[in-house]
Amino acid sequence: ETQGPVVIHSARLHPVKDHATAMRAWRQVVDAQPTAQLVLLGDGALRDELEAQAAELGIADRVTFAGQVPDARSLLPAGDIALLSSVSEGLSVSLLEAMAAGLPVVATHVGGNPELVVENETGLLTPAGDDAALAAALVALLGDAARRAALGAAGRARVVEQFTSERMHAAYAERYRGMLE
């Protein structure tokens, strides 16, 4: 069997990350892209529940529960797309790392995600909890390697320009100064 495209979802297995919606979306993705593989990096209380859901949906062979990985960043280059299905999010370190690794992003339009992911420039944003929209975005990118490469390159450039640690520390310092004044 040829290795299909790989989508990496790096987040603890916690309700706020809404892996359940990602699973329902993945069922639809597999219908369109039968060799696609979803890799879940992270662990948590919902693991058994999510493994059962994958089995119920008939996608257990298309989902890898990698658990807690010491250096998740080292695995990112093996992926084709970074996925984040959260219902709430701050400034996501996993999205920053994925973008720095040159992966295009499919994420929910919540919290800090729109700050990082520029729609149709560095990735695609979908409404939280909308498995059909999430699946459609994934399928669109999985079927278009050139678009994935362009979005990934733009995402990497964006992180390098705007989200290096020096810039982030300066921004935090500025924010704290503002709060103290």
Side-chain angles (χ1 to χ4, degrees), residues 56-105:
E56 279 165 34
L57 290 168
I59 55 172
D61 61 330
R62 298 281 111 217
V63 178
T64 301
F65 288 83
Q68 208 53 53
V69 179
D71 185 18
R73 277 184 304 198
S74 66
L75 300 179
L76 293 172
D80 295 289
I81 297 172
L83 169 64
L84 193 62
S85 55
S86 310
V87 292
S88 175
E89 195 64 62
L91 199 62
S92 168
V93 173
S94 71
L95 282 188
L96 280 170
E97 290 176 345
M99 290 169 70
L103 293 185
V105 171

Side-chain angles (χ1 to χ4, degrees), residues 9-120:
H9 192 306
S10 181
R12 68 190 194 282
L13 306 183
H14 182 277
V16 76
K17 302 302 181 180
D18 196 12
H19 288 83
T21 292
M23 291 292 194
R24 290 191 306 273
W26 198 247
R27 170 67 268 170
Q28 299 163 60
V29 170
V30 169
D31 290 339
Q33 289 268 352
T35 63
Q37 191 71 28
L38 176 62
V39 176
L40 302 178
L41 301 181
D43 225 328
L46 296 180
R47 182 167 179 154
D48 291 347
E49 201 175 300
L50 291 167
E51 285 179 342
Q53 185 187 10
E56 279 165 34
L57 290 168
I59 55 172
D61 61 330
R62 298 281 111 217
V63 178
T64 301
F65 288 83
Q68 208 53 53
V69 179
D71 185 18
R73 277 184 304 198
S74 66
L75 300 179
L76 293 172
D80 295 289
I81 297 172
L83 169 64
L84 193 62
S85 55
S86 310
V87 292
S88 175
E89 195 64 62
L91 199 62
S92 168
V93 173
S94 71
L95 282 188
L96 280 170
E97 290 176 345
M99 290 169 70
L103 293 185
V105 171
V106 172
T108 47
H109 196 287
V110 298
N113 292 353
E115 233 178 287
L116 297 177
V117 182
V118 180
E119 178 70 20
N120 280 316

